[in-house]
Amino acid sequence: MSDVAQTKIVGASVARKEGRDKVTGRARYVDDMTLPGMLHGGTVRGSIARGVIKKINFAPHIDWKEYVVVTAKDIPGKNCIALILDDQPCLADGCVNHPEEPIVLLAHADRHKLWKAIEAVSIEYEELPALETIEQSEALREIIWGTNNTFKTFLIEKGDVQAIWAGAAQIVEGEYFTGAQEQLYIENNGIIAAFNADDGLTIWGSLQCPYYVHKAMMKLFALTEDKVRVVQMETGGAFGGKEEYPSMLAGHAGLLAMKSGQPVKMIYDRMEDMVATTKRHPSRTCHRTAVSADGKILGGEIDFVIDGGAYATLSSVVLSRGTIHAGGPYHWPSVRIRSKAVATNTPPHGAFRGFGAPQCLFAMERHMDRIAQAVGISATEIRRRNFLRPGQTTTTQQKVSEDVNLEYLLDRALKLSDYDAKKRSFAAENLSGTKKRGMGIAAFLHGAGFTGSGERYLDSVAGVEGCADGTVRVLVSSTEFGQGTNTVLCQIAAETLRIPYDSVAIAQPDTTAVPNSGPTVASRTVMVVGKLVHSAALGLKQTLVGAGLLGETYTAEQFRTACGTLAAERGALKSYARYQAPPGVYWDDEKYRGEAYATYAWAVYVAEVAVDLPTFSVAINDFVALQEVGKVLHPVLAEGQIVGGIAQAIGYAVYEKVAWEHGRMRNNQMTNYIMPTSSDLPPIRVYFEEFGNPHGAYGAKGIGELPMDGPAPAIINAVEDATGVRCNAVPMLPEDLFAAMRGEKDAHLSGIPEAQMR
Amino acid sequence: MTVSAQRSTKCEVTFDINGESRSVSVFPMARLLDVLRHELALTGAKEGCGEGECGSCAILMDGTLVNSCLVPVLQAGGTSIVTIEGLAGNGQLHPIQQAFLDCGGAQCGICTPGMILATVELLRKRPAPTLDEIREGLSGNLCRCTGYVQIFRAVADAAHRIASQ
Amino acid sequence: MRSDPADYLLVAPQSLHDAVALLASEPGAWLPIAGGTDVMVLYGAGKLPARKLVSIRDLRELRGIEEFPNEIAIGAGCTYTDLRKHPAIAREFPMLVSAASWTGGIANQNRGTLGGNIANASPAADSLPALLAYDAELLLTSVRGERRIAYRNFHLGYKKTAMYADELIRAIYVPRKYSGYVSFARKIGARQAQAIAKISIAGLGRMADGVIDDVRIALGSVAPVPLRLEKMEAVLLGKNVQSLPVEDLRRLVAAEISPIADIRSTADYRAVVAGNLVVEFLRQLSSGKAST
């Protein structure tokens, strides 16, 4: 790796590569594109949670000959959206397992006539009993998936959990819950598909992972890989919500395109997107912890369950990440972590920034405060005494090999937030008045990249191309959806080649033109793919040097000439680099033990809240976010990621509640699913520490998901500090705090009562 | 029970768009957003929610910010409309656009056209806004990516740029 | 977009005279649309029952804010932005200004009208508690002439008003008699902006010689209509509020309200918070602090 201290482009806040198009309205999102002869596609969805489809009625007042009609029978390949298992049908065939399951597809040239036709299809069912919650799924009164409603289980064992209880001064128990959360990207899901016998299927869309869609389409249409092309358009936010779902929508649009012979555009409106697509997995975590008299964790048991919805989709991977992160940044001499993902009759839950870690880290950080209370020491002290230190091992027995100093991070965060002084003055102020103020802490970690052998399995490839005009193009399937992929990968290439940032462009992700650098998920893009771009760029340079066209040192002009010459001569000048696992990173999939991630980012967040007792509302008055991220490659983008993630996590903590009614989201509109506006968010102060990362491009660690993990527990810890009221569930709306203050059990489970509703 | 099968007839609606007079033949209840995007190929205004909550469809009508998904096109007749496409002039970015670029105010970009136009209205009313005034001025424009901090900075930066012009 | 524009008639008469004539020609068949911030939401969701709409947005007769010695006449077509900008409204009717500033965001304030807020008659509407507290009057107009009614008699039931099918609200009159009054307005929404009220209060009152001389307590989202707590007001008149136990005050509130559970909140939360807000208003009234 180059000497980071001397980088000129990496480390600077260069202009966003596609920024000009975005501020002028020229950026092209999928709904901005039309193709000649294009039809509009729509979906007829099921209205019950579980049952057998008896009859599909097409109302006689519609001239159905005008429409393209597709059902499961029209699927040429396998009726599934291939992901990990093949259990999720592309179109329901004979039965439905969740509300809003897609059953019939329609297309028409007129959007309005299409909508009328969708409303004119009615379905008769034989309804079956449905499961709505984790508890109902576990009770097994109905088996809705596999033999016992369980998609996946994991078991992590370390040390000797039997032996810890006898010697414990305290045994601290706690149960923690997190609810579903909607990604709420401002651009809804959308796909355009075209199909012809010669070229096969082409997909343009708002998506994170072109090669996931590619793989799923091959199976659905029984096409070879050269007959499927997937192109990513400008994408208006994703956050994981466009990791797997676009394959479903692409399948639908593709089927309509195939049947009609015309291009088909399918764009969800907000109501459909919210009710039908994936959300964050709800969770329940039970902790039982043996603690010594001086507040050291001797060990414990952690039971972690997530609700996967009706089909397996990505639940096993979400579960995996949650399981591995469940112990937080602490030393557990002994631990047993049991986890499972269970099925319910709700639309399948899916990827959302954090991917299992926000759930279990909420539990861990609430539980640490509870342990502190049981032992009689402060929230800061309990963490100090249990932080992982270099040389110790994690719950998966991964040795902490980096030089992390969590106590230093804690001290710095406390200083930045004026924690001690505020705690003292709030304690005095809270004795009177109707506003109660409090401080809360969360300490956490986030492993970037795919777990364990995941990156090896992905086998990612990145390319750097020298063009005939002397410029350079980055070739990756990694997508831009606001986080800065385009900008940072071009920075890395430019820095590595020592040419101007403006001489480097990045190819639009198109599976016919770019290699598979893996999905744009798991905070891996800068760290893992960036490193491949760096290697590929070095390869390009070496090629030019080897061809005698460039010396070991050169000017930008010399590079341009050399590159242009060789590219023109050879017709194409592409350098590829393939992922290589770092040495000494070993993961045992059977025992779930070993180096789970090549590296972790570490953080301590501090929230200051004011609770207005008459209205039970929580205002966050200050928020300090301190994280160690290896190296900041682009200060503005890095800050933007942290602030944006914190904003989403504040929503997760106190605003965003999905109101479920028989497995269906009732509040599927922006007016009643509440995300924070500009008037709601506190000043968010972001600070970085940079300890480097030998496994990441220019020393960077992944940071996209990290900020999602800390705010919820920090805020709820602060609310307890302010009011003495213990809430163990998020989202915590004022109504929930109110219920908790009245001592209602299971307050979080109180949905909106069905009686008396308008 | 279906409603009586009456059909409306299209009418001619004329307005000024980004300085140019345009006429469209449309149903009077067509949404201004759809007319902009489909009849006039001005796709800068986006549909994020269709219910006036997210502000990504916001445009300036007679100088004031409105959500175009809530405006029947008939009511836009005779007005002067500015969309994001009309903001830059002579190949030069508007100072607000430049500020958004420099300060990280645009991440995925989907809220950006509406956010920039909301900023135009805000700075017209309050050329030197406080942070609270900025928050309030943009409270009808939802951004899921930025957490707003860098947008606030962009607005403050734009205010300085405009003041020093 | 779940409605087909081809199925909807929208006409824009040039004068109020023409507009009311149209309403009279087919009473109940034509839905007035002003700023569209309510109607167009239903329309976009495919939930608008009306198929014939008459645009009243550009009728000059409905715009403008006129000051008279004893009252101010607010044209029903005035937008929330118009209200916020007007110096006399800001000075004398601050709760109308705060309600306007709490409605939607700037874009919706530029379009939404006071008349629309009233005619839509949602019990959660932002301006209505303030209008009740200020004892507003409405000027209703039709081909049969004009009539003024007390706003407190306007809401008859959930989304049912005293307006006839061929009438329009022409203006809202607010009496200029509240100088020296303490006002207290709060909106509790799910977030600070762009939120429908879970509960709201507009309180207005005056003390004299240590007792309550005049008091108006109006609440939103606690009943099928926006509500004045008339019985409680009658009990409070002439009383020294500080001598009344807080629990008695809460009981008086609870006796007059009937909050429900809905997609935004629960009945118990609304009931308790309503009591808290009224108690806080009365505390401020008796200490002489204004708070909008």
Side-chain angles (χ1 to χ4, degrees):
Chain A
M1 273 293 163
S2 307
D3 182 347
V4 157
Q6 288 171 348
T7 57
K8 289 193 307 196
I9 303 169
V10 163
S13 292
V14 296
R16 176 177 279 273
K17 225 7 137 179
E18 75 293 342
R20 202 176 172 94
D21 283 346
K22 285 175 171 171
V23 300
T24 55
R26 278 205 300 269
R28 295 254 287 167
Y29 302 83
V30 64
D31 195 24
D32 300 333
M33 184 163 103
T34 45
L35 295 175
M38 192 175 80
L39 305 176
H40 294 277
T43 313
V44 177
R45 298 181 176 278
S47 57
I48 63 166
R50 181 172 176 238
V52 176
I53 298 172
K54 303 302 280 182
K55 197 151 175 283
I56 300 176
N57 298 312
F58 293 82
H61 69 270
I62 300 271
D63 183 359
W64 293 102
K65 291 194 304 299
E66 279 182 33
Y67 294 83
V68 185
V69 181
V70 162
T71 62
K73 310 194 300 310
D74 294 298
I75 294 173
K78 187 169 180 199
N79 180 9
C80 76
I81 300 300
L83 191 54
I84 297 172
L85 301 181
D86 287 352
D87 65 322
Q88 184 178 27
C90 173
L91 289 170
D93 187 6
C95 64
V96 290
N97 289 298
H98 65 80
E100 307 296 325
E101 189 157 3
I103 303 173
V104 178
L105 303 170
L106 301 173
H108 196 284
D110 182 321
R111 286 190 310 153
H112 303 299
K113 287 189 144 192
L114 172 67
W115 184 257
K116 287 174 178 159
I118 291 170
E119 296 193 303
V121 181
S122 62
I123 319 238
E124 291 170 41
Y125 310 91
E126 181 196 304
E127 207 162 339
L128 293 171
L131 303 176
E132 294 177 36
T133 64
I134 288 173
E135 287 72 25
Q136 286 176 9
S137 183
E138 290 172 314
L140 296 179
R141 261 182 295 120
E142 295 291 318
I143 304 294
I144 62 169
W145 197 92
T147 56
N148 63 351
N149 295 340
T150 304
F151 295 119
K152 188 76 180 178
T153 61
F154 288 111
L155 173 66
I156 288 178
E157 288 182 306
K158 178 188 181 194
D160 184 356
V161 171
Q162 300 304 103
I164 59 178
W165 310 108
Q170 298 280 344
I171 296 177
V172 185
E173 297 187 327
E175 205 174 44
Y176 307 94
F177 301 88
T178 67
Q181 187 187 15
E182 160 59 36
Q183 296 87 348
L184 212 66
Y185 26 73
I186 305 293
E187 184 212 13
N188 291 308
N189 272 284
I191 296 277
I192 296 175
F195 187 95
N196 68 57
D198 295 328
D199 303 322
L201 177 68
T202 307
I203 300 287
W204 295 266
S206 182
L207 47 92
Q208 293 174 235
C209 310
Y211 276 98
Y212 277 11
V213 178
H214 185 265
K215 173 184 158 201
M217 294 304 95
M218 282 172 59
K219 198 160 208 172
L220 186 68
F221 288 88
L223 290 169
T224 52
E225 64 177 34
D226 58 311
K227 294 292 191 200
V228 177
R229 176 182 177 210
V230 181
V231 181
Q232 185 233 2
M233 305 286 291
E234 199 73 75
T235 295
F239 315 110
K242 295 173 181 171
E243 173 175 344
E244 73 269 41
Y245 194 81
S247 300
M248 172 72 75
L249 188 49
H252 291 173
L255 287 167
L256 288 168
M258 183 188 72
K259 189 144 190 198
S260 65
Q262 288 167 259
V264 173
K265 174 188 270 193
M266 291 185 76
I267 310 285
Y268 287 173
D269 67 14
R270 183 59 61 182
M271 289 186 281
E272 181 171 23
D273 195 297
M274 291 180 87
V275 85
T277 71
T278 62
K279 291 178 191 37
R280 187 184 296 286
H281 290 67
S283 77
R284 182 191 71 212
T285 311
C286 302
H287 273 269
R288 187 162 179 262
T289 318
V291 186
S292 72
D294 65 341
K296 300 280 284 242
I297 293 173
L298 301 172
E301 290 175 322
I302 307 177
D303 279 277
F304 175 61
V305 189
I306 60 175
D307 173 354
Y311 300 109
T313 63
L314 291 175
S315 293
S316 58
V317 197
V318 174
L319 186 69
S320 159
R321 180 171 283 275
T323 307
I324 293 168
H325 284 74
Y330 303 110
H331 182 235
W332 292 78
S334 299
V335 73
R336 177 183 299 130
I337 306 175
R338 276 181 293 233
S339 66
K340 63 184 179 195
V342 300
T344 60
N345 296 108
T346 53
H349 297 298
F352 189 166
R353 197 174 196 170
F355 207 77
Q359 291 94 323
C360 67
L361 288 168
F362 171 73
M364 185 70 252
E365 283 304 279
R366 285 294 291 134
H367 196 60
M368 284 307 274
D369 270 26
R370 183 176 288 207
I371 293 174
Q373 287 160 15
V375 173
I377 61 178
S378 71
T380 53
E381 195 55 36
I382 193 71
R383 288 167 170 86
R384 269 186 224 289
R385 294 185 189 179
N386 290 286
F387 276 148
L388 275 168
R389 290 182 161 68
Q392 289 182 322
T393 59
T394 66
T395 53
T396 66
Q397 298 177 56
Q398 172 170 8
K399 195 154 177 196
V400 178
S401 56
E402 48 181 315
D403 219 355
V404 63
N405 187 342
L406 283 158
E407 271 209 82
Y408 163 77
L409 289 181
L410 176 65
D411 287 335
R412 190 168 171 221
L414 295 176
K415 187 144 174 272
L416 288 166
S417 59
D418 208 17
Y419 180 89
D420 291 330
K422 284 186 175 171
K423 281 274 283 181
R424 277 195 302 274
S425 63
F426 293 167
E429 287 170 29
N430 287 349
L431 295 172
S432 61
T434 57
K435 263 215 182 359
K436 306 295 178 193
R437 310 206 323 163
M439 303 291 286
I441 303 168
F444 54 102
L445 78 179
H446 200 92
F450 265 49
T451 305
S453 39
E455 286 296 337
R456 204 179 274 118
Y457 169 76
L458 282 178
D459 198 29
S460 299
V461 173
V464 170
E465 176 175 19
C467 305
D469 64 355
T471 64
V472 164
R473 260 182 7 139
V474 174
L475 307 172
V476 291
S477 63
S478 307
T479 53
E480 172 70 56
F481 37 88
Q483 79 285 48
T485 298
N486 291 349
T487 304
V488 178
L489 295 184
C490 289
Q491 270 181 298
I492 289 170
E495 183 74 52
T496 306
L497 293 170
R498 298 197 190 280
I499 59 176
Y501 172 68
D502 289 340
S503 305
V504 183
I506 181 162
Q508 184 178 22
D510 173 338
T511 54
T512 59
V514 300
N516 188 350
S517 56
T520 317
V521 304
S523 309
R524 61 187 294 275
T525 302
V526 167
M527 194 179 90
V528 175
V529 180
K531 189 144 193 244
L532 294 177
V533 169
H534 171 82
S535 302
L538 284 176
L540 175 64
K541 185 181 94 165
Q542 292 313 104
T543 302
L544 294 170
V545 169
L549 291 169
L550 214 54
E552 283 295 341
T553 62
Y554 49 85
T555 65
E557 197 45 53
Q558 286 168 336
F559 181 93
R560 187 173 312 143
T561 308
C563 175
T565 303
L566 197 59
E569 189 180 302
R570 294 199 182 170
L573 184 59
K574 293 180 185 175
S575 162
Y576 293 102
R578 185 179 293 275
Y579 176 77
Q580 285 174 330
V585 174
Y586 174 71
W587 175 253
D588 183 339
D589 254 318
E590 296 288 306
K591 299 209 185 77
Y592 240 60
R593 193 180 292 172
E595 274 78 43
Y597 300 96
T599 186
Y600 295 85
W602 311 87
V604 176
Y605 285 2
V606 182
E608 178 198 326
V609 306
V611 180
D612 180 57
L613 288 184
T615 59
F616 307 93
S617 47
V618 174
I620 303 160
N621 287 339
D622 190 32
F623 199 96
V624 164
L626 171 66
Q627 46 264 304
E628 188 289 312
V629 300
K631 173 80 184 129
V632 175
L633 302 198
H634 188 300
V636 167
L637 287 180
E639 187 198 26
Q641 282 304 286
I642 302 301
V643 176
I646 289 172
Q648 272 185 323
I650 288 174
Y652 185 49
V654 293
Y655 289 104
E656 297 178 37
K657 181 175 272 199
V658 176
W660 295 106
E661 182 185 42
H662 299 315
R664 189 179 182 281
M665 181 185 189
R666 254 197 92 215
N667 54 335
N668 60 321
Q669 288 173 268
M670 282 213 185
T671 189
N672 46 30
Y673 179 83
I674 305 298
M675 70 160 265
T677 68
S678 63
S679 291
D680 296 297
L681 290 172
I684 297 172
R685 302 190 280 132
V686 176
Y687 306 90
F688 292 108
E689 290 280 348
E690 298 172 287
F691 297 163
N693 171 24
H695 304 304
Y698 286 93
K701 298 180 179 179
I703 63 168
E705 294 171 278
L706 175 75
M708 199 81 213
D709 297 337
I715 290 165
I716 307 302
N717 284 346
V719 170
E720 183 171 352
D721 186 52
T723 61
V725 177
R726 181 180 282 165
C727 288
N728 291 324
V730 282
M732 188 200 74
L733 271 47
E735 287 81 355
D736 301 312
L737 179 59
F738 165 65
M741 288 180 98
R742 292 207 308 190
E744 284 177 22
K745 275 178 67 68
D746 294 336
H748 70 286
L749 290 176
S750 63
I752 309 297
E754 300 209 17
Q756 305 169 47
M757 279 198 283
R758 286 200 197 286
Chain B
M1 193 222 113
T2 48
V3 185
S4 63
Q6 85 204 357
R7 296 285 282 186
S8 185
T9 49
K10 289 190 177 179
C11 57
E12 198 83 356
V13 179
T14 304
F15 34 57
D16 188 290
I17 294 262
N18 298 327
E20 202 189 317
S21 180
R22 298 292 300 266
S23 264
V24 287
S25 173
V26 284
F27 292 109
M29 274 295 278
R31 301 181 309 174
L32 178 60
L33 174 65
D34 294 322
V35 172
L36 290 172
R37 288 180 59 80
H38 303 139
E39 306 295 324
L40 298 171
L42 292 167
T43 56
K46 309 294 182 193
E47 177 158 1
C49 73
E51 50 173 349
E53 287 284 325
C54 73
S56 62
C57 69
I59 51 104
L60 297 171
M61 194 161 89
D62 285 340
T64 61
L65 191 73
V66 302
N67 288 323
S68 62
C69 73
L70 298 184
V71 178
V73 69
L74 187 68
Q75 289 186 345
T79 67
S80 174
I81 293 175
V82 173
T83 68
I84 189 70
E85 291 91 341
L87 210 57
N90 302 325
Q92 276 234 322
L93 291 182
H94 189 284
I96 296 174
Q97 290 170 314
Q98 190 63 56
F100 268 68
L101 260 183
D102 293 343
C103 299
Q107 286 190 22
C108 82
I110 199 81
C111 77
T112 305
M115 195 72 76
I116 287 177
L117 293 171
T119 305
V120 171
E121 160 136 342
L122 169 65
L123 294 182
R124 180 179 52 80
K125 289 189 316 207
R126 308 226 184 286
T130 63
L131 180 58
D132 277 342
E133 286 168 338
I134 295 174
R135 283 177 185 277
E136 202 222 346
L138 303 183
S139 63
N141 294 77
L142 298 180
C143 174
R144 195 52 160 168
C145 293
T146 65
Y148 304 103
V149 169
Q150 290 172 341
I151 291 177
F152 298 156
R153 264 188 223 140
V155 173
D157 184 51
H160 284 132
R161 284 176 202 252
I162 292 171
S164 56
Q165 270 180 338
Chain C
M1 166 60 168
R2 300 187 177 195
S3 294
D4 185 353
D7 293 339
Y8 295 81
L9 294 179
L10 173 63
V11 298
Q14 296 300 297
S15 69
L16 181 59
H17 176 266
D18 291 345
V20 295
L22 184 65
L23 292 181
S25 69
E26 290 178 86
W30 292 88
L31 179 69
I33 173 173
T37 54
D38 284 318
V39 169
M40 294 297 283
V41 174
L42 291 173
Y43 172 67
K47 296 203 167 96
L48 184 65
R51 288 290 184 273
K52 302 208 274 208
L53 297 107
V54 50
S55 174
I56 57 173
R57 181 174 184 262
D58 293 311
L59 296 177
R60 273 178 305 107
E61 299 94 325
L62 300 182
R63 301 301 286 264
I65 296 176
E66 224 182 319
E67 294 180 57
F68 298 102
N70 295 327
E71 60 190 5
I72 295 186
I74 304 169
C78 282
T79 64
Y80 300 109
T81 300
D82 293 335
L83 280 174
R84 292 182 70 182
K85 278 195 319 210
H86 199 275
I89 304 279
R91 224 175 24 245
E92 299 177 46
F93 301 96
M95 296 200 291
L96 279 182
V97 169
S98 42
S101 73
W102 290 333
T103 304
I106 301 297
N108 290 343
Q109 289 173 21
N110 285 339
R111 291 279 294 175
T113 63
L114 188 58
N117 208 220
I118 296 167
N120 191 46
S122 164
D126 293 308
S127 330
L128 310 191
L131 291 173
L132 279 177
Y134 287 133
D135 266 333
E137 288 189 357
L138 303 184
L139 180 67
L140 304 176
T141 184
S142 70
V143 290
R144 294 170 283 106
E146 297 193 333
R147 61 186 182 113
R148 262 170 86 137
I149 71 168
Y151 180 60
R152 61 201 288 174
N153 299 329
F154 183 72
H155 293 285
L156 304 176
Y158 178 70
K159 294 219 165 189
K160 198 163 166 292
T161 73
M163 221 161 59
Y164 293 118
D166 65 343
E167 280 182 316
L168 284 176
I169 303 172
R170 177 163 183 173
I172 299 96
Y173 289 85
V174 279
R176 306 177 83 163
K177 55 180 189 174
Y178 301 113
S179 92
Y181 274 65
V182 168
S183 63
F184 177 94
R186 289 275 186 281
K187 170 183 175 175
I188 311 300
R191 58 189 174 193
Q192 292 292 100
Q194 294 267 93
I196 298 176
K198 299 188 203 183
I199 183 158
S200 60
I201 181 173
L204 191 62
R206 184 176 61 185
M207 307 287 288
D209 302 321
V211 299
I212 291 180
D213 185 51
D214 186 8
V215 70
R216 297 114 185 283
I217 306 173
L219 296 175
S221 305
V222 295
V225 299
L227 201 64
R228 274 276 292 265
L229 302 190
E230 293 175 4
K231 298 197 185 74
M232 183 171 187
E233 291 169 7
V235 169
L236 291 172
L237 275 180
K239 300 272 193 328
N240 172 1
V241 160
Q242 275 153 348
S243 68
L244 292 169
V246 166
E247 277 323 299
D248 287 1
L249 295 173
R250 289 190 201 286
R251 224 168 290 134
L252 285 168
V253 175
E256 283 190 80
I257 64 176
S258 52
I260 57 166
D262 64 13
I263 202 149
R264 279 177 283 282
S265 190
T266 64
D268 288 348
Y269 173 85
R270 284 179 159 127
V272 169
V273 174
N276 291 343
L277 290 174
V278 173
V279 165
E280 199 179 325
F281 161 54
L282 294 173
R283 193 173 288 144
Q284 291 199 11
L285 174 60
S286 64
S287 70
K289 257 172 40 194
S291 165
T292 54

